[in-house]
Amino acid sequence: EIKPYLASHLTNNKKLKGAYTSFQKLDSLVVEEESEETGQIEKTFKDEFYYSGTGLLSTYIEYEWDITESRWVESYKDEYAYDESENCIQEIYSYWNEESEIWQLSSREVYSYSPSNQVILLMSYQWEEFTNSWKLDYKDEYTYLSSEQVSIRYNWNSTISDWEMIFKMKYMFNEDQNLVESTSYYWEPISEVWVNLNQIRSYL
């Protein structure tokens, strides 16, 4: 089965290209749209995909079409690293600096997994040019039960050097593991309680 690549769901589509199935390899994707002014089909952006020797996506680059110069211009880049179980353990995002014509680091996400290969922690960092180092931004913690999955978002408060709870998502599943309910909450720091923000139910 070949799943369509979605950058935001890398962990579910990390083996889009197989090491021994060259006919399945997706190396680039060009998107064209009809111009409202001319009515002609014109290039808009292009995606390029690069893979490791084992067929895992290692680099994803997006380009935008420069109509004036009739050439592709780099936009942003994602780079991925994996553990021995082929779980994505790191994503590094960079954007193209047109003035200096170099890739500029932007953000970084580091994943930790349980023995059963479920994501249990996501740590996010922002690149700080002044110190030339990664700075904590936020983290997501995940817990799993047979019919429930919970993720909690914490933001890093550099003033007090501590984490602050911000947001929580709770997902409920039926016996067939189909999603039947999702509920979002925000943390009320004064009363120290979770406040229901939104609830969506699925009727299967």
Side-chain angles (χ1 to χ4, degrees):
E1 178 184 6
I2 304 177
K3 298 180 180 180
Y5 171 79
L6 294 175
S8 59
H9 298 285
L10 168 70
T11 53
N12 295 324
N13 298 277
K14 62 180 181 294
K15 207 152 189 177
L16 180 64
K17 172 180 178 180
Y20 305 105
T21 52
S22 59
F23 63 95
Q24 293 181 353
K25 297 175 182 178
L26 177 61
D27 295 315
S28 64
L29 175 67
V30 176
V31 176
E32 298 178 333
E33 296 179 352
E34 182 178 348
S35 171
E36 295 182 357
E37 297 180 356
T38 65
Q40 300 296 315
I41 300 299
E42 298 178 349
K43 301 182 183 74
T44 55
F45 66 87
K46 177 178 70 170
D47 297 334
E48 288 187 352
F49 308 88
Y50 299 89
Y51 304 85
S52 67
T54 57
L56 297 175
L57 182 66
S58 60
T59 305
Y60 162 75
I61 303 176
E62 180 170 296
Y63 301 80
E64 295 180 354
W65 181 249
D66 188 319
I67 299 177
T68 304
E69 298 186 9
S70 296
R71 68 182 183 91
W72 291 110
V73 178
E74 292 88 342
S75 179
Y76 70 88
K77 175 175 67 172
D78 299 342
E79 298 174 280
Y80 309 98
Y82 304 86
D83 62 16
E84 294 180 354
S85 299
E86 297 187 348
N87 295 311
C88 179
I89 57 174
Q90 179 175 264
E91 301 181 35
I92 296 179
Y93 305 92
S94 306
Y95 66 90
W96 183 251
N97 188 318
E98 295 185 7
E99 294 183 1
S100 57
E101 296 188 340
I102 61 171
W103 287 108
Q104 178 66 55
L105 291 170
S106 176
S107 62
R108 172 179 172 233
E109 294 182 347
V110 178
Y111 300 87
S112 297
Y113 295 82
S114 69
S116 57
N117 293 321
Q118 291 178 307
V119 178
I120 56 176
L121 178 64
L122 182 158
M123 298 287 293
S124 181
Y125 305 82
Q126 293 292 321
W127 181 255
E128 187 175 84
E129 292 187 42
F130 179 72
T131 60
N132 201 39
S133 63
W134 293 108
K135 297 298 180 182
L136 284 169
D137 185 15
Y138 67 86
K139 71 174 179 177
D140 292 339
E141 292 182 347
Y142 302 86
T143 55
Y144 305 86
L145 297 175
S146 59
S147 62
E148 180 180 308
Q149 176 181 324
V150 177
S151 64
I152 300 178
R153 167 70 56 86
Y154 301 79
N155 283 351
W156 178 252
N157 187 325
S158 58
T159 303
I160 62 175
S161 296
D162 201 2
W163 295 103
E164 295 180 330
M165 283 191 294
I166 300 295
F167 187 78
K168 178 170 76 170
M169 286 296 301
K170 181 179 180 180
Y171 303 94
M172 301 297 296
F173 301 86
N174 62 17
E175 58 185 10
D176 297 320
Q177 293 302 303
N178 293 313
L179 179 65
V180 294
E181 182 179 293
S182 62
T183 309
S184 57
Y185 308 82
Y186 70 88
W187 178 251
E188 172 48 61
I190 297 177
S191 55
E192 296 187 339
V193 296
W194 288 108
V195 179
N196 192 317
L197 186 62
N198 186 36
Q199 186 177 68
I200 300 175
R201 292 182 177 176
S202 300
Y203 298 93
L204 302 176

